[in-house]
Amino acid sequence: MIASGSGNSEMGMQWAAITGVIATVSVFAIAQGLSYPLLSFILQRQGVSPAMIGLSAAMTPVGFIVSSPLIPALARRFGAGRTALTCAALSAIVLALISWTQNVYLWFPLRFLIGVVTNPLYVLSEIWVIALAPPARRGRVMGVYSTIISAGFAAGPLCLLAVGTEGWPPFLVGIFAFVLCGICLASVLPRLPKVDEAGHQVSVLGFVPLAWLLLFAVIVAAGFEQGALALLPVYGTHHGIPETRMSALLSVMIAGNIAMQVPLGLLAERLSSRLVRLACVAITVLGCLLLPILIETPLIWPMIFVWGAVSYGIYTMSIIELRERFTGSALVAGNAAFSLMWGVGGIAVPPMAGTAMDIVGARGLPITLGLLCLALAIASLAGRRKASIVG
């Protein structure tokens, strides 16, 4: 009876820690989701060109890319908890500096810094969640995690409806969110597991050959999401679809992402994360084929909902498989590599798809995204065949 009570107590502490980390990340996501449109609105009022606004926004993912290889060393040197708390404080300070300067040129280095200091917070929080999740329930836990992240990013812009986009109020919301993020994290820090182990250390670049297919899946998921969000409105314009309808379609796509990650996670528990990821890739390719056919019909609404769900499901399944295959320093390096590849995909794919649209017209978008996902499907099937032969 004592052992059973002790086990229940430990399980309760584990779930409390998971809840605390997910709360931390949700607050962080709200702050990030608020900052992107807020800064774009401010620059637009200042008369800054769209090209310059786009370059300014790109500084944050560049910061992700630059900081990702440093995260394992920071976690080892200073401890994961101390690193994450410091990053939460620095994020609040940098956002305050952005509000104080209000200058497009000063915002370039500051937005780069916001990417540098928020990335470790995100990566380390994700490591804690996947390390804490019980193996039998890992799919649903990561599904909840992905859902809350997406909901947080979606809620960020909604905050602007309440506080507006002028002066200090919207920035104070973001600053307070980062401070609250640090408070949530500090409250559960003693219950969090160590995210690194003694012995052989794996670097981010050293991790690449260990799981190149998973990293390619992350590039595809990031590139698809960023390419679709950036260029679907342009695609709709080519088909004569009003902006309001395309905005609604994008909202439905995000809703699919938010609503379906938990069901996909439950499916991964019954089958396997690798099999569910392959199914997500296949359905995403099918969506690319159906987009030109359904874009002007009522069937586009359910199709875009499913498209949003399965395209982000590629990432959710990849992070589940990462935890199934790696622990210790390899897990830390793997999460940092995921963040790096997310930045690469987000930066590389939208210009690629935009160039294709310039060359072949609107169909360049589904062609580019479809070929990218098809390459991942072929690589995944080849990987499964190789694994079965070796087995």
Side-chain angles (χ1 to χ4, degrees), residues 249-295:
L249 279 173
L250 286 176
S251 298
V252 169
M253 185 176 181
I254 295 170
N257 174 353
I258 294 172
M260 295 303 294
Q261 297 313 303
V262 173
L264 288 173
L266 290 169
L267 192 60
E269 291 176 8
R270 295 181 63 87
L271 304 174
S272 73
S273 56
R274 190 174 300 183
L275 185 60
V276 176
R277 188 183 71 233
L278 182 58
C280 286
V281 174
I283 297 171
T284 305
V285 173
L286 179 61
C288 293
L289 294 173
L290 292 176
L291 181 64
I293 300 170
L294 302 181
I295 188 63

Side-chain angles (χ1 to χ4, degrees), residues 103-384:
N103 183 291
V104 62
Y105 298 107
L106 291 176
W107 279 9
F108 274 84
L110 288 173
R111 296 187 81 167
F112 170 79
L113 284 176
I114 204 81
V116 169
V117 298
T118 57
N119 192 35
L121 181 63
Y122 174 76
V123 169
L124 293 172
S125 297
E126 191 168 79
I127 292 169
W128 280 317
V129 172
I130 62 177
L132 285 165
R137 300 182 178 182
R138 187 173 293 135
R140 72 193 74 182
V141 170
M142 296 314 299
V144 170
Y145 173 82
S146 296
T147 297
I148 290 178
I149 284 282
S150 301
F153 276 109
L158 295 179
C159 293
L160 298 179
L161 296 177
V163 298
T165 61
E166 296 185 4
W168 274 93
F171 286 99
L172 290 175
V173 172
I175 292 166
F176 175 74
F178 280 125
V179 172
L180 183 58
C181 176
I183 294 172
C184 291
L185 181 59
S187 67
V188 297
L189 205 54
R191 302 176 183 176
L192 299 180
K194 292 183 178 180
V195 299
D196 209 348
E197 292 178 347
H200 177 65
Q201 304 297 341
V202 180
S203 68
V204 172
L205 293 180
F207 181 82
V208 173
L210 300 178
W212 65 269
L213 184 58
L214 284 180
L215 297 178
F216 182 36
V218 174
I219 291 175
V220 171
F224 186 96
E225 180 183 80
Q226 298 301 313
L229 291 177
L231 295 172
L232 264 180
V234 181
Y235 182 86
T237 300
H238 279 273
H239 285 271
I241 297 174
E243 290 183 5
T244 52
R245 179 182 167 91
M246 287 310 302
S247 296
L249 279 173
L250 286 176
S251 298
V252 169
M253 185 176 181
I254 295 170
N257 174 353
I258 294 172
M260 295 303 294
Q261 297 313 303
V262 173
L264 288 173
L266 290 169
L267 192 60
E269 291 176 8
R270 295 181 63 87
L271 304 174
S272 73
S273 56
R274 190 174 300 183
L275 185 60
V276 176
R277 188 183 71 233
L278 182 58
C280 286
V281 174
I283 297 171
T284 305
V285 173
L286 179 61
C288 293
L289 294 173
L290 292 176
L291 181 64
I293 300 170
L294 302 181
I295 188 63
E296 297 181 46
T297 74
L299 291 177
I300 190 62
W301 297 96
M303 175 260 164
I304 210 82
F305 180 89
V306 174
W307 217 31
V310 296
S311 60
Y312 194 77
I314 297 171
Y315 179 81
T316 302
M317 296 305 110
S318 297
I319 199 69
I320 294 172
E321 185 177 342
L322 176 70
R323 179 62 181 97
E324 292 170 347
R325 291 173 54 184
F326 300 99
T327 59
S329 63
L331 181 61
V332 179
N335 269 90
F338 269 36
S339 179
L340 174 63
M341 295 306 165
W342 186 273
V344 170
I347 289 176
V349 175
M352 188 189 309
T355 301
M357 294 177 76
D358 286 340
I359 296 173
V360 301
R363 65 181 182 274
L365 177 62
I367 288 174
T368 302
L369 298 181
L371 288 176
L372 191 63
C373 293
L374 183 61
L376 176 59
I378 293 171
S380 299
L381 289 171
R384 284 175 60 85

